Amino acid sequence: MTNKLPRLDRSIVLVGLMGAGKSTMGKRLARRLGMDFVDSDDEIEVAARHKISEIFDRFGEAGFRDGERRVIARLVGGAPRVVATGGGAFLNEQTRALLLEHCIVIWLDADVETLARRVARSDHRPLLRGKDAAAVLRELAIARNPYYAEAHLHIKSHSLPQEQTVDRIVEALAGWRGTS
């Protein structure tokens, strides 16, 4: 691993399917880089004064995605930070364009079996309620991976120790040569 930490003038945004490690890796990455961390799902809940599952129940996925788009635009409009997004955020054309233009977008990618194992640990994911997680994640991967592939950087998030994945992210950032 490189010892030189990159100096960043823009936010780093983590995208990928649920269970890819966006929040977990995002917190560790932010600490490593000396940046603030924010989870867009947490910020959506604060702004809406409701849990994400309640927003889905009351307003549907379309209502949730509209709020998500507005919150993410606010989050990346300030000082550079590490932002973990919800799994579907990058599918929105406006959100994707904003993030690709103003941030460094990193796709955390893992195989469906790893993702299913990770999401089995929690029960707060509206898209998985009462369904086979692996089957849902397989369908989501088919639909969403082409969008995630537009990210500036692609990092495999397998069952490595978390610090090794963060090492890979830092190395990729150190070598990133995007344009402002």
Side-chain angles (χ1 to χ4, degrees):
M1 182 192 94
T2 180
N3 290 328
K4 183 168 171 47
L5 295 178
R7 282 185 41 87
L8 302 166
D9 63 351
R10 61 184 71 201
S11 289
I12 298 165
V13 177
L14 303 176
V15 301
L17 289 172
M18 63 182 92
K22 299 178 299 287
S23 297
T24 303
M25 297 303 156
K27 290 174 190 171
R28 289 174 178 268
L29 179 63
R31 263 194 312 273
R32 177 88 61 93
L33 297 175
M35 299 174 80
D36 289 334
F37 170 79
V38 66
D39 186 308
S40 67
D41 284 350
D42 293 344
E43 294 297 313
I44 291 163
E45 289 183 345
V46 168
R49 296 188 184 118
H50 293 289
K51 295 282 184 197
I52 288 176
S53 58
E54 295 169 347
I55 300 168
F56 264 77
D57 290 345
R58 293 176 109 187
F59 305 106
E61 186 173 359
F64 170 77
R65 296 294 175 207
D66 182 57
E68 178 180 57
R69 178 185 50 76
R70 288 181 278 130
V71 167
I72 289 173
R74 177 177 50 83
L75 294 176
V76 301
R81 62 182 85 186
V82 176
V83 180
T85 63
F90 202 61
L91 279 62
N92 179 282
E93 188 176 345
Q94 291 173 294
T95 300
R96 190 169 58 257
L98 173 77
L99 297 178
L100 289 170
E101 182 176 347
H102 298 287
C103 305
I104 302 171
V105 181
I106 300 173
W107 174 20
L108 290 182
D109 183 19
D111 59 79
V112 170
E113 292 73 26
T114 299
L115 296 171
R117 210 171 30 255
R118 290 176 182 171
V119 299
R121 300 177 199 152
S122 67
D123 63 352
H124 69 279
R125 301 180 189 273
L127 294 177
L128 296 180
R129 256 191 244 142
K131 299 176 183 164
D132 173 27
V136 172
L137 287 162
R138 203 169 286 106
E139 289 177 23
L140 289 173
I142 291 167
R144 294 179 176 184
N145 285 357
Y147 294 99
Y148 298 149
E150 294 182 38
H152 300 112
L153 301 170
H154 181 184
I155 302 292
K156 291 286 188 178
S157 170
H158 297 295
S159 296
L160 293 174
Q162 294 173 350
E163 284 305 314
Q164 286 184 13
T165 302
V166 173
D167 290 346
R168 288 180 173 185
I169 295 170
V170 171
E171 287 178 20
L173 287 168
W176 187 72
R177 300 286 181 249
T179 56
S180 297

